[in-house]
Amino acid sequence: MLSDQKQQTAQAPPKIFNILTAIIMALLALIVIVGLVILVIWLVIKPKKLVYSIDEGSIKGYTLSNDHLDSTFNLVVRAYNPNHRVSVSYDRMEVAVSYGGQTVAYQEVAPFFQPHKNITRLRVDPTARYVALPAKTAQDLRLERTAGQVELDVRMKAKIRFKVGVWKSRHYKLKVLCSPVMINFNSPDKFQMTNCEVDI
């Protein structure tokens, strides 16, 4: 009798092992299936890279005193989604203006949704409020102010998701660099559009 009980006890672990193996195999199969579905969707929609440019630019309220900058940079950012089926949700976005390698102005953009085959124009006004500049940077900025034109870099960062029908992707980091952005102090109408580099 004791011998039979020992045999039953010894046989129990293999049954548990078989159940765990089956669960693990089922989970792996599910992960593979979900991955393949996402891959197929991605290949079918063939997402194209988003296109960005700075279409307008001007400077208001410019003051440079004691190597401290006050200014508002009025920009029109053009965002083009060339995809036929893919929409884009911008859950967070920020725009920064830099001069001489230093960020001088910053603005957060409210979340927005961009449908497929859509052009969205964003009017942003990054503002510098008594921003301290190195002496050399301030000197260069004074010279460019005297010449009537300033060379800037505009950077954008965003958390985006792609949407096809009811399906939404995970979050991706969008990075945009627009350089050089040339702004004319005296004649904003002479602004020339600047194309941007986009990385996701």
Side-chain angles (χ1 to χ4, degrees), residues 10 64 70 74 110 139 150 174:
L64 183 58
D70 287 278
N74 306 119
Q139 181 183 357
V150 63
L174 171 73

Side-chain angles (χ1 to χ4, degrees), residues 52 54 73-77 92-98 103-110 112 122-127 153-158 176 178:
Y52 271 78
I54 306 293
F73 302 90
N74 306 119
L75 306 170
V76 175
V77 178
R92 183 180 178 184
M93 187 175 191
E94 57 189 45
V95 181
V97 175
S98 60
T103 298
V104 295
Y106 171 88
Q107 180 185 344
E108 289 191 0
V109 179
F112 65 96
L122 304 170
R123 293 188 177 275
V124 296
D125 306 292
T127 302
D153 291 336
V154 177
R155 287 179 169 82
M156 288 165 271
K157 294 180 181 179
V176 180
C178 312

Side-chain angles (χ1 to χ4, degrees), residues 26 33 43 54-55 84 86 90 101 111 114 116 119 126 129 137 143 158 194 199:
I33 290 170
L43 291 174
I54 306 293
D55 283 6
H84 290 277
V86 185
Y90 288 79
Q114 186 176 35
H116 53 85
I119 294 175
R129 287 288 175 261
T137 303
L143 291 173
T194 304
D199 182 48

Side-chain angles (χ1 to χ4, degrees), residues 149-163:
Q149 193 174 51
V150 63
E151 179 179 320
L152 305 168
D153 291 336
V154 177
R155 287 179 169 82
M156 288 165 271
K157 294 180 181 179
K159 287 180 71 174
I160 65 172
R161 288 180 294 167
F162 297 105
K163 184 175 182 293

Side-chain angles (χ1 to χ4, degrees), residues 5-96:
Q5 289 179 352
K6 287 180 180 179
Q7 287 180 358
Q8 289 176 359
T9 304
Q11 290 173 355
K15 290 182 180 179
I16 296 173
F17 178 77
N18 289 339
I19 292 171
L20 288 174
T21 302
I23 292 172
I24 291 171
M25 293 299 290
L27 288 174
L28 286 174
L30 182 62
I31 291 170
V32 170
I33 290 170
V34 170
L36 287 173
V37 169
I38 292 173
L39 178 62
V40 169
I41 292 173
W42 198 254
L43 291 174
V44 168
I45 61 179
K46 293 179 181 176
K48 297 177 182 176
K49 185 176 284 190
L50 303 174
V51 180
Y52 271 78
S53 63
I54 306 293
D55 283 6
E56 297 177 29
S58 61
I59 297 176
K60 292 184 178 178
Y62 173 88
T63 304
L64 183 58
S65 177
N66 298 321
D67 294 347
H68 285 74
L69 174 67
D70 287 278
S71 184
T72 298
F73 302 90
N74 306 119
L75 306 170
V76 175
V77 178
R78 179 182 183 271
Y80 172 48
N81 176 11
N83 293 286
H84 290 277
R85 301 182 184 91
V86 185
S87 301
V88 186
S89 291
Y90 288 79
D91 296 330
R92 183 180 178 184
M93 187 175 191
E94 57 189 45
V95 181

Side-chain angles (χ1 to χ4, degrees), residues 13 37 66 75 83 133-134 166 168 195-196:
V37 169
N66 298 321
L75 306 170
N83 293 286
L133 300 177
V166 297
K168 282 186 178 181
N195 291 316
C196 308

